[in-house]
PDB file of all heavy atoms in Angstrom:
ATOM      1  N   PRO T  42     -10.387 -22.006   3.549  1.00  0.00           N
ATOM      2  CA  PRO T  42      -8.898 -21.505   3.834  1.00  0.00           C
ATOM      3  C   PRO T  42      -7.991 -21.471   2.631  1.00  0.00           C
ATOM      4  O   PRO T  42      -7.271 -20.593   2.437  1.00  0.00           O
ATOM      5  CB  PRO T  42      -8.553 -22.768   4.667  1.00  0.00           C
ATOM      6  CG  PRO T  42      -9.753 -23.148   5.343  1.00  0.00           C
ATOM      7  CD  PRO T  42     -10.875 -23.061   4.339  1.00  0.00           C
ATOM      8  N   LEU T  43      -8.216 -22.492   1.650  1.00  0.00           N
ATOM      9  CA  LEU T  43      -7.334 -22.340   0.390  1.00  0.00           C
ATOM     10  C   LEU T  43      -7.646 -21.167  -0.409  1.00  0.00           C
ATOM     11  O   LEU T  43      -6.764 -20.520  -0.980  1.00  0.00           O
ATOM     12  CB  LEU T  43      -7.502 -23.595  -0.343  1.00  0.00           C
ATOM     13  CG  LEU T  43      -6.840 -24.922   0.141  1.00  0.00           C
ATOM     14  CD1 LEU T  43      -7.087 -26.120  -0.849  1.00  0.00           C
ATOM     15  CD2 LEU T  43      -5.300 -24.685   0.053  1.00  0.00           C
ATOM     16  N   LEU T  44      -8.966 -20.892  -0.545  1.00  0.00           N
ATOM     17  CA  LEU T  44      -9.390 -19.707  -1.387  1.00  0.00           C
ATOM     18  C   LEU T  44      -8.881 -18.447  -0.676  1.00  0.00           C
ATOM     19  O   LEU T  44      -8.450 -17.463  -1.468  1.00  0.00           O
ATOM     20  CB  LEU T  44     -11.025 -19.682  -1.394  1.00  0.00           C
ATOM     21  CG  LEU T  44     -11.543 -18.621  -2.261  1.00  0.00           C
ATOM     22  CD1 LEU T  44     -11.044 -18.675  -3.646  1.00  0.00           C
ATOM     23  CD2 LEU T  44     -13.135 -18.782  -2.208  1.00  0.00           C
ATOM     24  N   ILE T  45      -8.923 -18.440   0.577  1.00  0.00           N
ATOM     25  CA  ILE T  45      -8.430 -17.118   1.278  1.00  0.00           C
ATOM     26  C   ILE T  45      -6.905 -16.930   1.101  1.00  0.00           C
ATOM     27  O   ILE T  45      -6.401 -15.899   0.770  1.00  0.00           O
ATOM     28  CB  ILE T  45      -8.751 -17.271   2.881  1.00  0.00           C
ATOM     29  CG1 ILE T  45     -10.243 -17.139   3.130  1.00  0.00           C
ATOM     30  CG2 ILE T  45      -7.915 -16.174   3.618  1.00  0.00           C
ATOM     31  CD1 ILE T  45     -10.706 -17.609   4.417  1.00  0.00           C
ATOM     32  N   ASP T  46      -6.150 -18.136   1.228  1.00  0.00           N
ATOM     33  CA  ASP T  46      -4.750 -18.095   0.966  1.00  0.00           C
ATOM     34  C   ASP T  46      -4.429 -17.775  -0.439  1.00  0.00           C
ATOM     35  O   ASP T  46      -3.456 -16.946  -0.684  1.00  0.00           O
ATOM     36  CB  ASP T  46      -4.109 -19.407   1.332  1.00  0.00           C
ATOM     37  CG  ASP T  46      -4.210 -19.758   2.820  1.00  0.00           C
ATOM     38  OD1 ASP T  46      -4.573 -18.793   3.553  1.00  0.00           O
ATOM     39  OD2 ASP T  46      -3.913 -20.859   3.243  1.00  0.00           O
ATOM     40  N   ALA T  47      -5.162 -18.189  -1.351  1.00  0.00           N
ATOM     41  CA  ALA T  47      -4.883 -17.924  -2.827  1.00  0.00           C
ATOM     42  C   ALA T  47      -5.116 -16.487  -3.090  1.00  0.00           C
ATOM     43  O   ALA T  47      -4.232 -15.776  -3.770  1.00  0.00           O
ATOM     44  CB  ALA T  47      -5.765 -18.839  -3.852  1.00  0.00           C
ATOM     45  N   MET T  48      -6.196 -15.953  -2.519  1.00  0.00           N
ATOM     46  CA  MET T  48      -6.557 -14.406  -2.740  1.00  0.00           C
ATOM     47  C   MET T  48      -5.430 -13.658  -2.047  1.00  0.00           C
ATOM     48  O   MET T  48      -4.995 -12.556  -2.622  1.00  0.00           O
ATOM     49  CB  MET T  48      -7.855 -14.146  -2.192  1.00  0.00           C
ATOM     50  CG  MET T  48      -8.941 -14.537  -3.091  1.00  0.00           C
ATOM     51  SD  MET T  48     -10.610 -13.883  -2.671  1.00  0.00           S
ATOM     52  CE  MET T  48     -11.056 -14.934  -1.278  1.00  0.00           C
ATOM     53  N   THR T  49      -4.971 -14.011  -0.897  1.00  0.00           N
ATOM     54  CA  THR T  49      -3.894 -13.336  -0.200  1.00  0.00           C
ATOM     55  C   THR T  49      -2.623 -13.256  -0.886  1.00  0.00           C
ATOM     56  O   THR T  49      -2.014 -12.189  -1.144  1.00  0.00           O
ATOM     57  CB  THR T  49      -3.749 -13.814   1.212  1.00  0.00           C
ATOM     58  OG1 THR T  49      -4.952 -13.934   2.029  1.00  0.00           O
ATOM     59  CG2 THR T  49      -2.669 -13.176   2.073  1.00  0.00           C
ATOM     60  N   GLU T  50      -2.226 -14.486  -1.498  1.00  0.00           N
ATOM     61  CA  GLU T  50      -1.002 -14.562  -2.324  1.00  0.00           C
ATOM     62  C   GLU T  50      -1.065 -13.655  -3.593  1.00  0.00           C
ATOM     63  O   GLU T  50      -0.130 -13.113  -3.986  1.00  0.00           O
ATOM     64  CB  GLU T  50      -0.586 -15.934  -2.559  1.00  0.00           C
ATOM     65  CG  GLU T  50      -0.211 -16.674  -1.328  1.00  0.00           C
ATOM     66  CD  GLU T  50       1.042 -16.024  -0.558  1.00  0.00           C
ATOM     67  OE1 GLU T  50       1.912 -15.391  -1.274  1.00  0.00           O
ATOM     68  OE2 GLU T  50       1.207 -16.116   0.579  1.00  0.00           O
ATOM     69  N   LEU T  51      -2.281 -13.710  -4.194  1.00  0.00           N
ATOM     70  CA  LEU T  51      -2.491 -12.707  -5.361  1.00  0.00           C
ATOM     71  C   LEU T  51      -2.400 -11.378  -5.078  1.00  0.00           C
ATOM     72  O   LEU T  51      -1.791 -10.540  -5.616  1.00  0.00           O
ATOM     73  CB  LEU T  51      -3.881 -13.083  -5.973  1.00  0.00           C
ATOM     74  CG  LEU T  51      -3.976 -14.356  -6.797  1.00  0.00           C
ATOM     75  CD1 LEU T  51      -5.434 -14.754  -7.096  1.00  0.00           C
ATOM     76  CD2 LEU T  51      -3.289 -14.072  -8.183  1.00  0.00           C
ATOM     77  N   GLY T  52      -2.907 -11.065  -3.791  1.00  0.00           N
ATOM     78  CA  GLY T  52      -2.659  -9.628  -3.325  1.00  0.00           C
ATOM     79  C   GLY T  52      -1.235  -9.247  -3.098  1.00  0.00           C
ATOM     80  O   GLY T  52      -0.782  -8.218  -3.520  1.00  0.00           O
ATOM     81  N   ASN T  53      -0.510 -10.203  -2.517  1.00  0.00           N
ATOM     82  CA  ASN T  53       0.986 -10.000  -2.323  1.00  0.00           C
ATOM     83  C   ASN T  53       1.626  -9.806  -3.580  1.00  0.00           C
ATOM     84  O   ASN T  53       2.553  -9.043  -3.784  1.00  0.00           O
ATOM     85  CB  ASN T  53       1.615 -11.163  -1.558  1.00  0.00           C
ATOM     86  CG  ASN T  53       1.182 -11.190  -0.069  1.00  0.00           C
ATOM     87  OD1 ASN T  53       1.124 -10.137   0.504  1.00  0.00           O
ATOM     88  ND2 ASN T  53       1.174 -12.298   0.541  1.00  0.00           N
ATOM     89  N   LEU T  54       1.351 -10.746  -4.593  1.00  0.00           N
ATOM     90  CA  LEU T  54       1.912 -10.618  -5.939  1.00  0.00           C
ATOM     91  C   LEU T  54       1.585  -9.289  -6.552  1.00  0.00           C
ATOM     92  O   LEU T  54       2.500  -8.598  -7.123  1.00  0.00           O
ATOM     93  CB  LEU T  54       1.394 -11.834  -6.880  1.00  0.00           C
ATOM     94  CG  LEU T  54       1.937 -11.894  -8.209  1.00  0.00           C
ATOM     95  CD1 LEU T  54       3.456 -12.098  -8.246  1.00  0.00           C
ATOM     96  CD2 LEU T  54       1.134 -12.889  -9.013  1.00  0.00           C
ATOM     97  N   HIS T  55       0.373  -8.795  -6.471  1.00  0.00           N
ATOM     98  CA  HIS T  55       0.067  -7.548  -7.146  1.00  0.00           C
ATOM     99  C   HIS T  55       0.739  -6.369  -6.461  1.00  0.00           C
ATOM    100  O   HIS T  55       1.269  -5.347  -7.096  1.00  0.00           O
ATOM    101  CB  HIS T  55      -1.437  -7.360  -7.096  1.00  0.00           C
ATOM    102  CG  HIS T  55      -2.229  -8.003  -8.199  1.00  0.00           C
ATOM    103  ND1 HIS T  55      -2.039  -7.899  -9.564  1.00  0.00           N
ATOM    104  CD2 HIS T  55      -3.076  -9.050  -8.090  1.00  0.00           C
ATOM    105  CE1 HIS T  55      -2.824  -8.710 -10.224  1.00  0.00           C
ATOM    106  NE2 HIS T  55      -3.453  -9.429  -9.415  1.00  0.00           N
ATOM    107  N   ALA T  56       0.877  -6.450  -5.104  1.00  0.00           N
ATOM    108  CA  ALA T  56       1.627  -5.404  -4.373  1.00  0.00           C
ATOM    109  C   ALA T  56       3.096  -5.382  -4.878  1.00  0.00           C
ATOM    110  O   ALA T  56       3.647  -4.312  -4.936  1.00  0.00           O
ATOM    111  CB  ALA T  56       1.573  -5.672  -2.864  1.00  0.00           C
ATOM    112  N   SER T  57       3.650  -6.547  -5.026  1.00  0.00           N
ATOM    113  CA  SER T  57       5.157  -6.563  -5.474  1.00  0.00           C
ATOM    114  C   SER T  57       5.314  -5.964  -6.932  1.00  0.00           C
ATOM    115  O   SER T  57       6.267  -5.619  -7.236  1.00  0.00           O
ATOM    116  CB  SER T  57       5.711  -8.032  -5.398  1.00  0.00           C
ATOM    117  OG  SER T  57       5.192  -8.854  -6.388  1.00  0.00           O
ATOM    118  N   MET T  58       4.150  -6.201  -7.712  1.00  0.00           N
ATOM    119  CA  MET T  58       4.283  -5.688  -9.150  1.00  0.00           C
ATOM    120  C   MET T  58       3.859  -4.206  -9.227  1.00  0.00           C
ATOM    121  O   MET T  58       4.016  -3.671 -10.303  1.00  0.00           O
ATOM    122  CB  MET T  58       3.340  -6.569  -9.944  1.00  0.00           C
ATOM    123  CG  MET T  58       3.643  -7.920 -10.100  1.00  0.00           C
ATOM    124  SD  MET T  58       2.409  -9.058 -10.789  1.00  0.00           S
ATOM    125  CE  MET T  58       1.695  -8.176 -12.117  1.00  0.00           C
ATOM    126  N   GLY T  59       3.372  -3.634  -8.009  1.00  0.00           N
ATOM    127  CA  GLY T  59       3.111  -2.225  -8.160  1.00  0.00           C
ATOM    128  C   GLY T  59       1.661  -1.947  -8.560  1.00  0.00           C
ATOM    129  O   GLY T  59       1.248  -0.831  -8.724  1.00  0.00           O
ATOM    130  N   THR T  60       0.760  -2.998  -8.733  1.00  0.00           N
ATOM    131  CA  THR T  60      -0.457  -2.850  -9.121  1.00  0.00           C
ATOM    132  C   THR T  60      -1.435  -2.739  -7.815  1.00  0.00           C
ATOM    133  O   THR T  60      -1.979  -3.722  -7.380  1.00  0.00           O
ATOM    134  CB  THR T  60      -1.123  -3.881 -10.036  1.00  0.00           C
ATOM    135  OG1 THR T  60      -0.664  -5.192  -9.567  1.00  0.00           O
ATOM    136  CG2 THR T  60      -0.391  -3.642 -11.491  1.00  0.00           C
ATOM    137  N   HIS T  61      -1.262  -1.656  -7.172  1.00  0.00           N
ATOM    138  CA  HIS T  61      -1.762  -1.594  -5.758  1.00  0.00           C
ATOM    139  C   HIS T  61      -3.249  -1.623  -5.664  1.00  0.00           C
ATOM    140  O   HIS T  61      -3.879  -2.288  -4.799  1.00  0.00           O
ATOM    141  CB  HIS T  61      -1.307  -0.167  -5.076  1.00  0.00           C
ATOM    142  CG  HIS T  61       0.140  -0.279  -4.949  1.00  0.00           C
ATOM    143  ND1 HIS T  61       0.983   0.878  -5.426  1.00  0.00           N
ATOM    144  CD2 HIS T  61       1.116  -0.994  -4.420  1.00  0.00           C
ATOM    145  CE1 HIS T  61       2.184   0.656  -5.300  1.00  0.00           C
ATOM    146  NE2 HIS T  61       2.296  -0.545  -4.695  1.00  0.00           N
ATOM    147  N   SER T  62      -4.072  -1.065  -6.640  1.00  0.00           N
ATOM    148  CA  SER T  62      -5.533  -1.197  -6.563  1.00  0.00           C
ATOM    149  C   SER T  62      -5.872  -2.696  -6.590  1.00  0.00           C
ATOM    150  O   SER T  62      -6.891  -3.122  -5.984  1.00  0.00           O
ATOM    151  CB  SER T  62      -6.267  -0.367  -7.735  1.00  0.00           C
ATOM    152  OG  SER T  62      -5.732  -0.834  -8.896  1.00  0.00           O
TER     153      SER T  62
END
Side-chain angles (χ1 to χ4, degrees):
L43 280 178
L44 186 58
I45 294 163
D46 292 346
M48 284 190 285
T49 303
E50 289 304 326
L51 281 164
N53 286 327
L54 181 64
H55 283 296
S57 73
M58 292 167 42
T60 50
H61 298 126
S62 59

